[in-house]
Amino acid sequence: MHLTKCPQFQQSLRGIFGSEVVSQSRVNFINRMLQLDFEAYCTSCSSKAEAKIVSVQNEKVAIVKANILDLISVIPVITSQAPSNWDYEVIDIVTSQTTSGTGFLTDLSQSFNDFLGQGSNATNKKVALATTSCKLDLRKQCILLGGNAIISTDIDFSEVGSGNTNMLMVCMAGTAVRVTDTTTINKNDAAKFNEISKLGHEWSALANLSAEINKEFAIK
């Protein structure tokens, strides 16, 4: 395309201080994302359009993420097999690992010496936080897989490191399933299950679009 000025800002496309016209594929992408119909963009105006696209996408991701976190606790994480009244489809295994804190052995030693004291409280908090983090991660994976419950969950605790660098590792694994009738899980939460299922689809679509944006704009 032979242009001497930017079609939008009339900025010179020649000379040392001029801009260049971006590729047609970039033009098409920007137009599609912003629902525009410009024939060309220079490097200056395209960078502003790209920033707007990324900003809008980040806002959408933040909203869906917040909505998921508001409802995610409705997803049951149980250690047993599925209850007999569940009609479900097995999806896949979900796993999570987390490490937290330092000096775990010291805290553990204190908890044995004084199980009602500060050492015990500190260790218990680490265990509780790590367990909560793993359960949250399992639930996120379950939702993205299209599931609504996690069964046969196993949890393991171990120490990694040595000396003062010891850390608590919590590993959790379970099976994500899709229960056909969510009222058999909890009849009072049927609407929440429907909503979180929709949010899971939205999140997957946003993740795919974010990957497309990152590829097009080479965002690292």
Side-chain angles (χ1 to χ4, degrees):
M1 181 180 297
H2 182 69
L3 296 173
T4 59
K5 292 185 178 181
C6 171
Q8 296 196 59
F9 296 142
Q10 298 302 307
Q11 182 173 337
S12 174
L13 297 177
R14 293 180 177 179
I16 297 176
F17 300 104
S19 297
E20 297 179 355
V21 176
V22 300
S23 67
Q24 189 59 47
S25 63
R26 180 68 58 86
V27 172
N28 294 340
F29 186 79
I30 292 173
N31 281 340
R32 176 165 65 87
M33 293 298 300
L34 297 179
Q35 298 183 340
L36 300 174
D37 190 27
F38 289 108
E39 62 175 340
Y41 294 90
C42 70
T43 52
S44 177
C45 63
S46 70
S47 64
K48 295 177 182 178
E50 291 164 16
K52 182 177 181 179
I53 290 170
V54 172
S55 176
V56 170
Q57 178 71 1
N58 287 339
E59 288 179 8
K60 291 179 179 178
V61 168
I63 292 172
V64 173
K65 181 179 179 181
N67 290 337
I68 288 176
L69 291 177
D70 283 341
L71 297 171
I72 202 167
S73 61
V74 75
I75 304 294
V77 180
I78 60 177
T79 57
S80 62
Q81 295 289 329
S84 59
N85 64 328
W86 284 13
D87 179 22
Y88 66 93
E89 170 193 354
V90 173
I91 301 176
D92 202 355
I93 186 174
V94 286
T95 64
S96 180
Q97 306 81 34
T98 185
T99 55
S100 61
T102 58
F104 174 65
L105 289 182
T106 300
D107 286 338
L108 188 60
S109 174
Q110 290 175 348
S111 71
F112 280 116
N113 293 331
D114 183 6
F115 64 88
L116 293 178
Q118 184 176 358
S120 175
N121 290 335
T123 302
N124 288 340
K125 287 180 180 179
K126 290 179 183 178
V127 172
L129 287 173
T131 302
T132 299
S133 176
C134 281
K135 289 174 69 176
L136 177 62
D137 194 26
L138 292 187
R139 285 175 166 133
K140 288 178 182 177
Q141 294 178 51
C142 179
I143 292 170
L144 293 180
L145 289 170
N148 49 27
I150 303 167
I151 62 173
S152 304
T153 306
D154 178 68
I155 182 169
D156 293 309
F157 302 92
S158 60
E159 304 107 30
V160 293
S162 61
N164 292 329
T165 61
N166 272 305
M167 301 184 73
L168 168 66
M169 174 178 282
V170 177
C171 300
M172 195 176 293
T175 302
V177 300
R178 183 184 299 109
V179 180
T180 305
D181 183 4
T182 56
T183 60
T184 59
I185 301 177
N186 188 329
K187 63 181 181 180
N188 296 322
D189 289 333
K192 292 181 179 180
F193 279 111
N194 290 336
E195 179 63 22
I196 206 163
S197 176
K198 294 177 182 177
L199 290 170
H201 290 302
E202 287 184 40
W203 183 265
S204 295
L206 286 172
N208 291 335
L209 184 55
S210 291
E212 187 179 357
I213 292 172
N214 291 342
K215 181 179 179 180
E216 181 67 34
F217 298 157
I219 298 173
K220 297 182 179 180

